[in-house]
Amino acid sequence: MVAHPRAAGGLRRVRPLDITQGRPLNRPRPLRVEDNEDGRPTAVYLSGHRLAVEAVLETWRIDDEWWRERAVSRVYFSLLLEDGRTVTMYRDLVTGRWWRQDY
Amino acid sequence: MLVACVHIPRFAVEVERQRRKDVATRLILIGDATVFDCSLGAEASGVRQGLRMSEAIGLCHRAVVLPPDLPHYQRRFDDVLDFLEGFSPMVEADGLGTAYLSLDGLSVEPEPFADGLIASLHRRFGFMAAMGIGGGKFTARVAAQTRRPGLAKIVPPGEEASFLAPLPVDHLPVSDAMRWRLGLLGLHTMGDIARLPLGAFQSQFGPEGGRCWELAGGIDNEPLVPRVKEETVIRRLQLAARAVTLEAILVGVERLVYAAYLSPDRRGRWARKAVVRAALDFGGTWELAVPFREALADPRDAWFAVKNAIARHPPERPVEELEVELVGLSAESGKQAGMLEGKGKLWRQVEEAARQLRAQQGRAHIGKVVEVEPWSRIPERRGAFVEFDPST
């Protein structure tokens, strides 16, 4: 057999990427929210401005990693704000805090 | 439209007789499971093309049976077609051994032209052809097939129908089912068909019948389609000793691939396919077509593809002669590479930038987005931004 000329030096070893040293993308950011007695957001503060919620477009809940010490339990809202923007946010049902996060 | 048909009967048999002098005077059957071609003597014993070989041997038990070597027959016929293009600019091949030449616009007398061509063909290749000249391909072909080799038949314009009328319907290019029905209806000659009204005949046999009726009456407007001759680069190697091992065969093929790429005939063009052929011990040809995923300019890349293909499908017998043909030569002169593929200019720039950043700040700050758990319902689990060192 004749060695392929390009393989004369052997295959170069490539170090695998260490994802444990990376930082997650799309991390949730804290958000100040006003809500009503039903727990539905009525206004959010973006860049210090209060924006009333025009409509709740969609809402969904995720419950995951319940076997861990810190389970994930969230209610997501997709909101239409009074200036026409849409934002996606969630309420952490474990801590009760509000977070902004694209889904 | 004036067309000449050159017909070399039993072309494969004639080629084998020229190649193998030991069978020159023997009855010959060529084929595997069925008969591909047979000599005149075998035909006289009742053998026909397509007959099962076991039956053919039964009819003609003294015949020598040869395996078909189609690539070799095709190459020899290509040589004949190249030669015929010296007589007419429009040449169309119709299977092995039959070709049409357009005589339109040529200031030649049909009879001397035919005699001269037959003689030239015999002098050059040793093949004895029959020729027919008529107002269409069908008439010319029937005229050629009904003449003995070495003779020509000229069908003057307007006399096509009267020439065809007494000939059997077997000459018509129709399906077996239609041929059988023609026999049931008592239509044995082309004149029998031509005498019928077209409407009645077509209502019985449909579009195939309409075409058949026209041909039987000498009406043939099918244009002559000249062959497209593809430019290729071929390199051959006669081996000093039969190559038995795969390694020996690969060494020969490698030399040929590099020689073909270095050939001035390539004129810098890229090749889309390589065809490797080998003349095998005890006769026969092995052929392997290796299409490349993209046109290749570098013989190293071509050789890599060819070598792997041969390793998967090696010749089954020792090899006496090797040939490599580059086909699909394209005018490409470069290709668009991916941004971060290979060691391109941009990649070197990225490496240099990373090196300088590390020198200045201790780390490169170059990252790469990787998928971690793309299926996760938790958005921040799906992807991550990790540090990336392009030099590793």
Side-chain angles (χ1 to χ4, degrees):
Chain A
M1 295 288 283
V2 178
H4 183 248
R6 290 192 303 185
L11 288 174
R12 197 163 53 113
R13 290 179 65 82
V14 177
R15 191 179 68 187
L17 294 169
D18 183 2
I19 59 168
T20 60
Q21 294 176 358
R23 66 182 161 83
L25 294 171
N26 197 15
R27 283 186 296 185
R29 290 158 287 164
L31 187 68
R32 187 180 165 197
V33 175
E34 293 175 9
D35 59 347
N36 59 19
E37 60 274 14
D38 297 331
R40 295 173 80 86
T42 54
V44 298
Y45 288 83
L46 296 178
S47 307
H49 297 286
R50 183 184 182 280
L51 293 165
V53 174
E54 196 76 24
V56 176
L57 301 175
E58 203 174 352
T59 179
W60 66 96
R61 175 172 174 155
I62 63 168
D63 290 286
D64 208 337
E65 301 186 356
W66 44 265
W67 59 92
R68 290 190 170 162
E69 191 176 339
R70 190 166 174 186
V72 173
S73 183
R74 300 170 180 176
V75 179
Y76 278 84
F77 296 92
S78 176
L79 305 175
L80 175 64
L81 303 181
E82 61 176 320
D83 64 351
R85 267 190 283 182
T86 57
V87 295
T88 305
M89 49 182 283
Y90 71 84
R91 181 179 197 134
D92 189 328
L93 297 178
V94 178
T95 63
R97 295 174 64 186
W98 289 92
W99 301 85
R100 183 180 178 187
Q101 185 183 45
D102 293 329
Y103 198 81
Chain B
M1 183 170 70
L2 197 59
V3 175
C5 176
V6 176
H7 176 60
I8 304 170
R10 296 170 286 280
F11 183 79
V13 171
E14 294 306 316
V15 171
E16 290 291 357
R17 280 196 165 132
Q18 289 184 359
R19 183 161 70 165
R20 303 181 53 163
K21 300 299 179 195
D22 56 319
V23 298
T25 56
R26 301 277 303 273
L27 298 177
I28 295 175
L29 299 175
I30 299 174
D32 291 321
T34 59
V35 175
F36 174 75
D37 203 358
C38 63
S39 61
L40 185 62
E43 259 185 30
S45 305
V47 178
R48 293 287 178 273
Q49 287 184 6
L51 191 69
R52 276 190 301 190
M53 188 57 85
S54 54
E55 289 180 53
I57 293 170
L59 290 169
C60 193
H61 61 274
R62 284 182 305 158
V64 57
V65 180
L66 301 175
D69 188 353
L70 296 179
H72 181 64
Y73 307 151
Q74 189 59 56
R75 275 205 304 281
R76 290 300 310 273
F77 192 54
D78 284 342
D79 293 341
V80 170
L81 294 172
D82 290 342
F83 180 71
L84 293 178
E85 280 176 344
F87 290 83
S88 169
M90 287 178 72
V91 175
E92 177 184 344
D94 184 10
L96 280 175
T98 304
Y100 303 108
L101 289 77
S102 171
L103 301 187
D104 287 342
L106 300 181
S107 56
V108 292
E109 286 295 319
E111 210 150 333
F113 174 81
D115 291 341
L117 200 155
I118 290 170
S120 303
L121 205 56
H122 186 248
R123 271 200 306 276
R124 175 71 180 269
F125 297 101
F127 297 132
M128 191 57 87
M131 274 193 72
I133 295 180
K137 290 199 294 190
F138 178 69
T139 305
R141 180 166 63 80
V142 174
Q145 287 177 341
T146 51
R147 297 301 275 175
R148 288 212 320 269
L151 299 176
K153 169 70 182 171
I154 317 296
V155 182
E159 294 182 19
E160 289 89 357
S162 57
F163 163 71
L164 295 169
L167 298 174
V169 294
D170 294 339
H171 290 287
L172 287 167
V174 296
S175 62
D176 289 343
M178 181 168 170
R179 206 182 304 281
W180 179 72
R181 288 185 65 202
L182 288 172
L184 285 182
L185 293 169
L187 302 172
H188 301 296
T189 67
M190 288 193 261
D192 294 339
I193 294 173
R195 275 190 289 276
L196 293 170
L198 171 62
F201 194 74
Q202 202 165 11
S203 66
Q204 274 289 326
F205 296 102
E208 188 184 19
R211 169 81 180 142
C212 175
W213 184 88
E214 286 182 345
L215 292 178
I219 303 166
D220 182 14
N221 297 319
E222 190 182 317
L224 195 144
V225 183
R227 68 179 185 137
V228 179
K229 195 178 170 193
E230 190 179 20
E231 208 173 338
T232 62
V233 175
I234 299 181
R235 286 292 175 272
R236 288 195 187 95
L237 179 66
Q238 182 79 47
L239 300 174
R242 282 175 297 182
V244 180
T245 64
L246 180 61
E247 286 74 16
I249 293 166
L250 288 174
V251 167
V253 176
E254 184 182 19
R255 277 181 60 189
L256 288 173
V257 168
Y258 277 80
Y261 263 91
L262 292 173
S263 164
D265 299 339
R266 188 171 69 89
R267 297 201 298 276
R269 290 171 295 177
W270 297 24
R272 295 190 178 279
K273 191 166 90 170
V275 181
V276 186
R277 298 186 189 94
L280 302 176
D281 198 15
F282 301 115
T285 305
W286 168 84
E287 182 174 303
L288 182 67
V290 187
F292 303 137
R293 284 176 58 202
E294 56 185 355
L296 296 178
D298 193 331
R300 290 174 298 182
D301 296 333
W303 166 235
F304 185 72
V306 168
K307 184 182 71 172
N308 287 327
I310 295 176
R312 285 195 299 273
H313 306 286
E316 60 273 19
R317 295 209 301 272
V319 166
E320 292 181 334
E321 189 179 341
L322 285 166
E323 175 183 297
V324 167
E325 180 177 18
L326 297 181
V327 296
L329 299 177
S330 68
E332 289 175 75
S333 58
K335 66 175 180 180
Q336 177 66 51
M339 190 173 82
L340 295 179
E341 285 175 7
K343 289 278 184 182
K345 184 182 174 187
L346 182 62
W347 190 242
R348 286 195 296 274
Q349 288 174 342
V350 170
E351 281 186 348
E352 177 61 20
R355 192 185 63 77
Q356 291 188 18
L357 282 169
R358 274 197 301 276
Q360 289 169 12
Q361 302 181 15
R363 52 186 296 209
H365 295 288
I366 293 178
K368 181 175 181 177
V369 173
V370 295
E371 288 187 328
V372 182
E373 295 175 6
W375 59 86
S376 176
R377 299 172 66 211
I378 305 167
E380 65 268 30
R381 299 271 200 279
R382 294 174 189 159
F385 186 77
V386 298
E387 194 168 332
F388 180 56
D389 185 352
S391 65
T392 59

